[in-house]
Amino acid sequence: PGSTHAGRSIAKCQIVLLHASYPFSKEASYLASVYSQVYLDFGLAIPKLSVHGMTSSLKELLELAPIKKVMFSTDGYAFPETYYLGAKRARDVVYRVLSAACEDGDLSIQEAIEAVEDIFRRNALHLYKLNVVNGSINHETTIVADSVSLSSVEEDVLFVRIIWSDASGQYRCRVVPAGRFYEITRNKGVGLTFAAMGMTSFCDGPADGSNLTGVGEIRLVPDMPTLVRIPWSRREEMVMADMQIRPGECWEYCPRNAMRKVTKVLLDEFNVTMKAGFENEFFLRRKLVSDGVEQWVPYDNTNYCSTSAFDGASSILQEVYSSLKASGIVVEQLHAEAGKGQFEIALKYILCTLAADNLIYARETIQSIARKHGLLATFLPKPDLNDFGSGSHVHLSLWENDQNAFMGSSKDNFHGMSKTGAQFLAGVYHHLPSILAFTAPHPNSYDRIQPDTWSGAYQCWGKENREAPLRTACPPGVPLDLVSNFEIKSFDGCANPHLGLAAIVAAGIDGLRRDLKLPEPIESNPSDHASKLKRLPQNLQESVEALSADKVLHELIGDKLVTAAIAIRKAEIDHFSKNPGAFNDLIFRY
């Protein structure tokens, strides 16, 4: 009887398995799925384990266990640093795992957001019957009995910027007071006219033929995992938006959804994902007023990798770097470029969907901090026809189960690439003329893409050939007979990064589906082979014609979105051919 009574008592107890039950995380997940009183807490496993260990443990916990039974605590005993590391690493790891679940289609974005709130707050409130908790998953709000104290929100954060990039590659935002954002907008979004996705770089009205007008409205719904505090404006936050036609249903013109759609095809059909790392080239300009006329002139007159150029801009670049780091964006290198007042900031490669978001945040950061210092930063491809141009070169690689699937091996080696890598690159090579309508989408883009300027003017590829538009790369640490990634040179600051990467993925999918083959690489300046090589489109009209005829990109990206992009490109061609002086205003747009 005594043992029976004890068994009944234990059955009524709520049991929390601590520290992710490491190294028995799978077993813990099973127990939580079978026994109603068993809960899981993965505190201390984070940050004690490696990033891979933390990620794999959390994946195993969530494999079977209901999300409503998984919690996190920092377990930051003894040293204050462990509180910080626990809180920061936990958010990084949960974001990584839930993002992958969204990519795989296991969770919707809204379900992932709900999971974050459950794991970091609601599950503990429910289990421990806590009525008052200071802070929340966003650390800006005070939660009292599950209601948000709006006044306390706005004491810390005043505004939230809801950001999107349109089909012309311009970044735009709606701004919502923080109190209203956390009460209503975070879940319901804000309204936006259909016409917003048909606008050009010269007019805030929809282009003819885009099929987008002022009739009809979508919702800009915040993608909460992308929410960050704005480092240069401490009382504001910014968040990327998804475009939804109705709750939970993405609009077919949404660039972020177009990218998610093609990356899902890549994963479902070939079990690979794509990572991307962008190089941000930009010009810094300072205002000069002479005889009442305002001009924006180069910040300096130095040369490539000049130490004096970096020294002169060091305070600005330090602030940019610190702000990017605070936003979770990893910078790998910075240096002065060859143009007058030109600099480059290279970002670490990450999953391509995140890389596109980070690129937008990075440019917002660079331009805002330059403005704070009385300068103008522009990513326009060719602001001065007599100087070098700016690109947004992107390094791309394929990954399968955390292993580089683009890189070749001793048994699978085509010029350093795997068979999968070579087929993917062959698809990009084959569709490159039409891809340019997304990656070099403005008439000004083609002032930059010229022979002998390291911008990739001929349709070719080569290993470590910086004059080729497609360059396979062998960075330090990679065996010399292999390559780890490829670079696209013909990608610039007028491109919507989600659409540009979506076009590349779509082309790669076609290469994999049809087992396309690459020609032999070009191992010298393509100009030396001009009689044999095909020029890439020499103007936007030629790339638009290529895209119009490209059935693969229409199918994979979406016919309506591609049609709208083509209409916008045609409007740009017409306007700037008739108004060449209008190019001067573009430094304020890009």
Side-chain angles (χ1 to χ4, degrees):
S3 61
T4 302
H5 177 74
R8 288 173 181 169
S9 298
I10 292 173
K12 294 179 181 179
C13 289
Q14 291 172 312
I15 301 169
V16 181
L17 302 179
L18 299 175
H19 311 153
S21 288
Y22 187 83
F24 303 107
S25 301
K26 280 186 178 180
E27 290 82 354
S29 180
Y30 173 75
L31 291 173
S33 71
V34 173
Y35 296 105
S36 61
Q37 76 269 37
V38 176
Y39 292 77
L40 306 175
D41 185 314
F42 59 97
L44 200 63
I46 294 175
K48 296 294 185 181
L49 299 176
S50 66
V51 172
H52 176 74
M54 290 186 285
T55 304
S56 61
S57 290
L58 183 57
K59 282 182 177 178
E60 290 179 353
L61 286 185
L62 296 178
E63 194 70 34
L64 292 173
I67 288 176
K68 292 288 186 183
K69 300 176 78 176
V70 179
M71 299 171 289
F72 173 73
S73 58
T74 59
D75 272 350
Y77 66 93
F79 302 101
E81 290 83 359
T82 58
Y83 283 101
Y84 170 76
L85 283 174
K88 184 178 187 304
R89 284 293 180 87
R91 282 156 177 77
D92 293 341
V93 170
V94 169
Y95 179 60
R96 184 188 299 246
V97 171
L98 295 183
S99 294
C102 291
E103 290 287 334
D104 294 343
D106 291 335
L107 293 176
S108 69
I109 297 296
Q110 188 57 45
E111 287 170 337
I113 293 170
E114 291 293 317
V116 171
E117 294 195 4
D118 285 339
I119 291 169
F120 284 108
R121 183 174 65 87
R122 286 196 295 236
N123 292 346
L125 288 178
H126 173 74
L127 177 64
Y128 298 116
K129 296 179 173 58
L130 301 175
N131 293 320
V132 180
V133 177
N134 289 325
S136 79
I137 59 166
N138 296 303
H139 67 265
E140 294 94 1
T141 61
T142 299
I143 309 297
V144 180
D146 277 344
S147 66
V148 181
S149 172
L150 302 183
S151 60
S152 66
V153 170
E154 294 195 352
E155 287 177 6
D156 187 30
V157 178
L158 199 59
F159 297 139
V160 181
R161 303 180 191 182
I162 304 173
I163 294 177
W164 76 97
S165 178
D166 64 21
S168 71
Q170 295 179 87
Y171 307 154
R172 302 175 186 266
C173 73
R174 285 285 185 85
V175 181
V176 179
R180 179 175 177 81
F181 178 87
Y182 283 102
E183 181 183 24
I184 298 172
T185 309
R186 63 178 297 177
N187 294 318
K188 296 184 178 180
V190 295
L192 185 70
T193 173
F194 281 8
M197 274 302 289
M199 294 177 179
T200 66
S201 67
F202 63 87
C203 176
D204 283 343
D208 291 341
S210 65
N211 299 321
L212 296 165
T213 70
V215 178
E217 184 165 281
I218 60 163
R219 287 289 180 268
L220 287 175
V221 180
D223 183 5
M224 291 303 290
T226 68
L227 182 79
V228 296
R229 180 70 68 94
I230 296 179
W232 64 88
S233 178
R234 295 302 300 173
R235 295 194 65 196
E236 294 185 50
E237 294 173 328
M238 57 184 174
V239 64
M240 294 299 301
D242 284 320
M243 296 174 172
Q244 296 184 1
I245 191 66
R246 56 181 60 88
E249 181 181 338
C250 278
W251 192 36
E252 52 206 336
Y253 293 89
C254 176
R256 297 180 84 234
N257 184 61
M259 187 174 175
R260 279 196 293 265
K261 185 170 63 174
V262 294
T263 54
K264 187 176 187 303
V265 172
L266 182 65
L267 182 63
D268 289 348
E269 292 190 19
F270 304 102
N271 197 35
V272 294
T273 57
M274 187 176 80
K275 293 186 179 182
F278 283 96
E279 300 173 4
N280 286 281
E281 293 179 343
F282 59 95
F283 285 92
L284 286 179
R285 292 191 166 184
R286 54 187 175 85
K287 186 189 294 187
L288 178 66
V289 179
S290 178
D291 296 328
V293 178
E294 178 184 289
Q295 290 181 296
W296 289 91
V297 300
Y299 180 70
D300 62 27
N301 192 24
T302 55
N303 53 3
Y304 174 72
C305 282
S306 164
T307 54
S308 61
F310 194 89
D311 191 52
S314 181
S315 61
I316 301 167
L317 297 173
Q318 286 180 33
E319 188 171 349
V320 167
Y321 171 78
S322 297
S323 295
L324 292 176
K325 186 176 181 181
S327 300
I329 299 173
V330 179
V331 174
E332 291 199 328
Q333 289 191 49
L334 312 86
H335 63 83
E337 263 295 348
K340 297 174 182 176
Q342 189 183 31
F343 295 86
E344 179 182 304
I345 297 177
L347 307 180
K348 180 177 175 59
Y349 65 89
I350 54 174
L351 193 67
C352 61
T353 46
L354 306 180
D357 291 342
N358 280 0
L359 183 68
I360 292 173
Y361 282 171
R363 289 180 180 165
E364 286 288 290
T365 300
I366 292 166
Q367 290 183 318
S368 296
I369 290 175
R371 193 177 301 116
K372 176 181 172 182
H373 288 263
L375 303 174
L376 181 146
T378 179
F379 295 90
L380 189 67
K382 196 77 169 179
D384 184 345
L385 298 182
N386 298 312
D387 201 353
F388 291 94
S390 285
S392 184
H393 311 158
V394 60
H395 288 258
L396 303 165
S397 53
L398 302 176
W399 293 78
E400 182 178 0
N401 299 326
D402 293 327
Q403 298 297 315
N404 191 325
F406 182 82
M407 186 162 59
S409 64
S410 58
K411 297 179 181 179
D412 183 15
N413 190 330
F414 176 80
H415 294 283
M417 292 173 277
S418 66
K419 180 181 178 182
T420 297
Q423 289 174 345
F424 188 93
L425 184 58
V428 176
Y429 168 87
H430 179 78
H431 290 277
L432 195 54
S434 47
I435 289 173
L436 259 61
F438 289 107
T439 61
H442 200 279
N444 184 255
S445 301
Y446 298 83
D447 293 325
R448 169 184 167 262
I449 302 176
Q450 298 294 326
D452 307 318
T453 59
W454 294 15
S455 57
Y458 292 90
Q459 190 168 359
C460 63
W461 75 281
K463 182 177 179 179
E464 298 295 11
N465 188 340
R466 283 174 167 77
E467 279 290 355
L470 302 173
R471 171 177 78 100
T472 57
C474 178
V478 174
L480 293 178
D481 62 332
L482 301 178
V483 293
S484 64
N485 65 85
F486 72 97
E487 177 188 29
I488 294 187
K489 309 287 285 186
S490 40
F491 203 124
D492 67 43
C494 291
N496 177 306
H498 298 92
L499 293 181
L501 290 178
I504 293 165
V505 173
I509 289 170
D510 189 46
L512 290 166
R513 283 175 172 175
R514 295 200 286 146
D515 189 17
L516 294 179
K517 308 297 183 187
L518 282 166
E520 287 300 304
I522 298 299
E523 298 180 347
S524 58
N525 190 335
S527 294
D528 298 338
H529 307 270
S531 61
K532 299 178 182 179
L533 293 176
K534 181 183 176 182
R535 272 293 300 269
L536 284 174
Q538 298 184 55
N539 53 60
L540 183 56
Q541 180 63 40
E542 291 181 7
S543 66
V544 166
E545 290 171 359
L547 178 59
S548 297
D550 197 318
K551 294 180 180 179
V552 171
L553 266 60
H554 277 260
E555 175 195 346
L556 286 171
I557 296 174
D559 186 65
K560 289 184 178 180
L561 179 51
V562 172
T563 297
I566 289 172
I568 292 166
R569 309 296 182 257
K570 288 181 176 179
E572 304 274 16
I573 293 165
D574 180 68
H575 178 79
F576 288 99
S577 65
K578 295 176 180 176
N579 304 277
F583 280 112
N584 296 328
D585 295 330
L586 291 174
I587 61 171
F588 304 108
R589 297 269 184 160
Y590 297 100

